[in-house]
Amino acid sequence: MRAVMAIAEKEFKDGLRNRWMIAITLIFSVMASGLSWFGSASVGSIGFSSIANTIISLSSLNVFLLPLIALLLSYQAIVGEDEDGTLLLLLTYPLTKAELLLGKLLGQTSTLAIATIVGFGSASLSIILFADNVNVGELLNAFGLFILSAILLGMVFICLSYVISSWVSEKSKAAGLALVIWFFFVLIYDMGLLGLLVATEGQVQADIFPYLLLLNPTDIFRLINLVTFETNGTGLLSIAAEQSFSISGLFMSMLLWILLPFWLAYFRLLKRPI
Amino acid sequence: MSIIQLENISQQFGRLSVLDSINLKLEKGEVLGLFGHNGAGKTTSMKMILGLLKPTSGQVRVFGQDPFLSDFNHYRYRIGFLPENVSFYQQLTGKEVLHFFAKLKRVSLNRCKELLKQVGLTEAAERKVKTYSKGMKQRLGLAQAILTEPSLLLLDEPTVGLDPIATQDFYQIVDQLKNNGCSIILCSHVLPGVEKHIDKVAILSQGKLAAFGCIPELRKQTSLTTQINFSGCFDISKLQQALGVDVGTQENGSFSLKIQPEYKLKTVQTLLAQPGLQDLDTLPPSLEQLYRHFVVGKPSQGGQMEQSISEIINSVPQQPEKSETITSKTGEQS
């Protein structure tokens, strides 16, 4: 456990040192504040509209940004150490490969988590302080859930990054593959589902289709932030309305999306020629 | 119990055989010099000893344990390793790098300070590693390798990039560790100067152990000559008759002769009996000569390689000069 903490501490300090954390915090804070105050500008009004509107638009923007940030933060984790020669050295230390990977996950998740909490937390604080007629309890609840699911989504993509990172032998390849992963989950997958829906004229079995959304962690994230508001999502997510997912079920599938890639990354690291 | 024991180790990567039935032993407090050309299997052997690579066949024992098993982890506190190419963490300072490794081995920060001083990095401790020269990185690498005062130290090309004084300091540290009972494997290309710091020599060639033993033993196995240099006033032809060998003259006016080791004592006695003798020096076959003998000298192994190189070079028509020299060399040996 001490070894895990030592690795985590180093990763966290690296996040501070290379300004990653401050940059992510700023991005999240600006994005959240902007959306909560100017999110309804398109319908002709300025100012805080509603908690539901804010969270839903935040989650659809965050779904693009957060996976990209998480992938960028961690695609070098293993392959970078390997290229610097430190992976070979670290493995001669009293440290198992599982501890190394776990330490990295802990450190990089902390970086992302603190940025998420401070970034989105500051936005919710500004709403509490300056907006009229806001139910503070409801707001904190919604933002709490949003932040928690955002951290989990970040972890999913950090773990997916580790799979790439412990698989390939060059940093540049890892970077390219990280982009492919991002492109696939954020854009291609949903478009593919929509295409399938249109091509079959909605004839795919209605009770299976919503579950296909669970195969994409970004959709799970959006669903988590949707189901609390009892409003129907737009686009693809409206399909899920027919099938009511429970919050705990959605969190469980998110956890699976963390555990499986992490295990796969560990497996690849075991097989990796040193 | 031997610190390291390799029994019949073979390693294949696909169809490529990297190591072939290696048997090797290292006892407590011994320094083993592991030599060989590029790709001879030095680093592969080290990785096996460190438990990073499982041999295709054969048995590795370090401290009597199998280093590839996870149980071996607590023995790792007693092992130090300096890899050949390590650039550490560029954005960290030397001190931060050492502190990080110290935490992994549960070593106090005071010890780090002491070590930085010992390897001469106190001044540069607050600077980022990316500003370090090759030699400074090497010294930082040594510092992390000896964090715990290890019982086993593996050094892969430790003196690359070190200036002569730093090299001397480095060997001083090695000698000191050895005196404290640490067993050391020293892997190197640089042969001069290593000789007096090592107890045993292992020469790898083409994945095979071409020679293993202490230097005097290896000398006995070869028929390499001992050179005797001497100066003074002599009647050369009379002296040659007395000694029974040819005496050559050197540019600085001194003389030299080459004899088989077993005649050394007799020859020296004869020389000492000469009234005109002013100075005398005996030079047994150096490590380089031994290395050359074991790696290149055997036509069955070395010859093959040279031949294959000459074939490769011959097949490239742009380099006629090189191919000529190598072919003539091969000719000499065969």
Side-chain angles (χ1 to χ4, degrees):
Chain A
M1 208 54 210
R2 256 176 96 133
V4 174
M5 290 316 289
I7 302 278
E9 190 190 326
K10 179 183 168 291
E11 288 302 325
F12 184 72
K13 277 188 183 162
D14 282 351
L16 286 178
R17 200 187 323 264
N18 56 26
R19 312 277 190 277
W20 260 99
M21 196 151 100
I22 187 86
I24 306 171
T25 309
L26 273 177
I27 290 172
F28 286 162
S29 171
V30 168
M31 185 173 89
S33 309
L35 272 180
S36 37
W37 293 102
F38 304 106
S40 47
S42 55
V43 291
S45 64
I46 279 184
F48 182 69
S49 55
S50 74
I51 297 172
N53 273 349
T54 305
I55 292 288
I56 289 169
S57 45
L58 257 184
S59 57
S60 34
L61 185 58
N62 206 23
V63 111
F64 284 90
L65 212 53
L66 189 74
L68 193 62
I69 290 173
L71 287 166
L72 281 179
L73 185 70
S74 52
Y75 78 91
Q76 298 194 356
I78 300 299
V79 74
E81 298 260 8
D82 199 357
E83 279 190 5
D84 288 342
T86 41
L87 183 64
L88 173 67
L89 185 58
L90 278 176
L91 293 177
T92 69
Y93 272 69
L95 173 78
T96 63
K97 288 175 180 172
E99 284 173 321
L100 174 67
L101 215 52
L102 208 59
K104 294 241 169 205
L105 178 66
L106 201 62
Q108 291 179 332
T109 301
S110 316
T111 305
L112 203 61
I114 288 179
T116 310
I117 291 167
V118 175
F120 293 117
S122 66
S124 63
L125 199 68
S126 78
I127 295 170
I128 292 170
L129 289 177
F130 303 115
D132 309 317
N133 308 322
V134 177
N135 182 336
V136 175
E138 200 188 323
L139 182 90
L140 287 182
N141 210 5
F143 263 94
L145 195 67
F146 177 80
I147 288 172
L148 183 64
S149 56
I151 293 171
L152 289 179
L153 182 66
M155 284 177 85
V156 170
F157 279 89
I158 288 175
C159 289
L160 286 172
S161 251
Y162 291 167
V163 177
I164 301 169
S165 202
S166 51
W167 206 314
V168 302
S169 54
E170 286 153 48
K171 259 193 242 177
S172 50
K173 261 188 205 158
L177 278 175
L179 271 182
V180 170
I181 293 249
W182 177 80
F183 196 64
F184 175 77
F185 281 119
V186 171
L187 294 167
I188 299 293
Y189 187 83
D190 285 9
M191 277 208 296
L193 276 195
L194 275 179
L196 186 69
L197 207 58
V198 172
T200 58
E201 292 173 343
Q203 293 306 303
V204 244
Q205 281 188 311
D207 43 337
I208 295 182
F209 204 79
Y211 288 100
L212 289 178
L213 289 175
L214 298 184
L215 294 182
N216 183 347
T218 63
D219 285 334
I220 303 175
F221 169 74
R222 277 157 66 186
L223 283 173
I224 289 176
N225 289 293
L226 195 67
V227 285
T228 36
F229 296 111
E230 310 213 330
T231 51
N232 284 343
T234 51
L236 196 60
L237 291 190
S238 57
I239 307 158
E242 292 166 28
Q243 181 79 39
S244 54
F245 289 112
S246 70
I247 284 268
S248 55
L250 288 170
F251 270 111
M252 281 308 290
S253 24
M254 198 75 131
L255 281 179
L256 273 182
W257 264 108
I258 294 169
L259 291 175
L260 284 179
F262 186 81
W263 175 81
L264 186 58
Y266 174 61
F267 180 73
R268 284 317 310 182
L269 185 58
L270 285 182
K271 295 272 171 237
R272 188 185 179 91
I274 301 297
Chain B
M1 181 191 73
S2 307
I3 299 292
I4 294 177
Q5 195 163 5
L6 302 185
E7 272 175 31
N8 245 333
I9 295 295
S10 298
Q11 177 69 42
Q12 271 141 16
F13 293 123
R15 278 169 59 202
L16 182 73
S17 173
V18 180
L19 290 176
D20 187 10
S21 7
I22 304 286
N23 285 291
L24 218 146
K25 250 187 190 181
L26 185 69
E27 306 294 335
K28 188 175 187 298
E30 273 184 346
V31 181
L32 171 73
L34 187 59
F35 307 110
H37 55 84
N38 295 317
K42 288 173 292 179
T43 306
T44 307
S45 321
M46 282 217 179
K47 282 180 184 171
M48 279 179 186
I49 293 165
L50 289 163
L52 301 174
L53 194 67
K54 201 174 165 60
T56 316
S57 67
Q59 200 183 45
V60 186
R61 286 287 174 270
V62 179
F63 302 126
Q65 310 286 319
D66 181 353
F68 199 75
L69 299 177
S70 58
D71 293 348
F72 189 72
N73 241 345
H74 45 266
Y75 290 94
R76 292 188 183 278
Y77 289 101
R78 294 166 57 194
I79 298 181
F81 174 49
L82 171 63
E84 185 180 2
N85 290 311
V86 62
S87 47
F88 294 112
Y89 302 106
Q90 304 284 317
Q91 74 284 14
L92 265 60
T93 66
K95 196 170 131 188
E96 285 168 333
V97 168
L98 199 58
H99 282 181
F100 170 63
F101 285 113
K103 259 181 222 152
L104 288 175
K105 274 198 173 161
R106 307 186 183 195
V107 171
S108 75
L109 300 187
N110 270 339
R111 168 82 181 147
C112 293
K113 205 173 166 187
E114 207 177 283
L115 276 171
L116 283 170
K117 196 176 160 201
Q118 197 179 350
V119 298
L121 280 179
T122 311
E123 310 272 298
E126 305 290 342
R127 268 167 50 196
K128 288 194 174 172
V129 173
K130 69 177 165 202
T131 67
Y132 279 23
S133 66
K134 175 90 175 113
M136 287 162 87
K137 275 182 203 159
Q138 210 69 3
R139 279 185 273 166
L140 184 61
L142 181 66
Q144 67 77 27
I146 58 176
L147 270 168
T148 50
E149 295 178 13
S151 322
L152 174 61
L153 186 60
L154 292 111
L155 305 164
D156 201 350
E157 304 289 349
T159 52
V160 171
L162 293 184
D163 58 66
I165 291 176
T167 307
Q168 237 170 30
D169 291 348
F170 164 79
Y171 281 122
Q172 222 166 34
I173 294 175
V174 168
D175 289 345
Q176 198 184 329
L177 285 163
K178 172 189 149 70
N179 290 337
N180 293 343
C182 176
S183 309
I184 299 171
I185 294 189
L186 191 73
C187 212
S188 187
H189 283 129
V190 191
L191 298 174
V194 177
E195 208 168 324
K196 49 183 183 284
H197 303 284
I198 56 180
D199 303 312
K200 275 188 182 170
V201 177
I203 298 174
L204 282 171
S205 171
Q206 311 273 294
K208 291 196 176 70
L209 199 57
F212 177 58
C214 59
I215 296 177
E217 257 172 44
L218 293 185
R219 279 191 187 127
K220 269 185 206 159
Q221 287 177 27
T222 68
S223 52
L224 291 171
T225 52
T226 295
Q227 190 176 342
I228 300 180
N229 293 340
F230 58 98
S231 57
C233 303
F234 311 101
D235 181 343
I236 284 298
S237 56
K238 262 190 183 173
L239 186 65
Q240 278 184 354
Q241 231 166 22
L243 293 166
V245 286
D246 284 341
V247 175
T249 40
Q250 290 181 339
E251 282 172 17
N252 58 359
S254 66
F255 306 96
S256 74
L257 56 85
K258 285 178 177 164
I259 39 145
Q260 291 300 318
E262 59 263 36
Y263 299 121
K264 186 176 82 179
L265 203 60
K266 214 182 122 208
T267 312
V268 170
Q269 277 168 343
T270 317
L271 280 170
L272 286 174
Q274 304 295 318
L277 185 73
Q278 285 169 350
D279 194 14
L280 182 138
D281 235 346
T282 62
L283 300 170
S286 68
L287 190 55
E288 284 144 289
Q289 283 169 311
L290 284 171
Y291 177 78
R292 231 190 135 62
H293 173 86
F294 282 109
V295 173
V296 190
K298 288 179 183 171
S300 57
Q301 289 175 10
Q304 255 174 16
M305 183 191 152
E306 301 251 334
Q307 202 180 352
S308 63
I309 287 182
S310 73
E311 271 168 18
I312 293 165
I313 295 173
N314 274 330
S315 64
V316 183
Q318 294 97 317
Q319 294 169 307
E321 267 179 42
K322 267 192 184 172
S323 71
E324 262 175 39
T325 51
I326 295 211
T327 334
S328 67
K329 213 170 158 191
T330 323
E332 265 172 25
Q333 271 149 16
S334 58

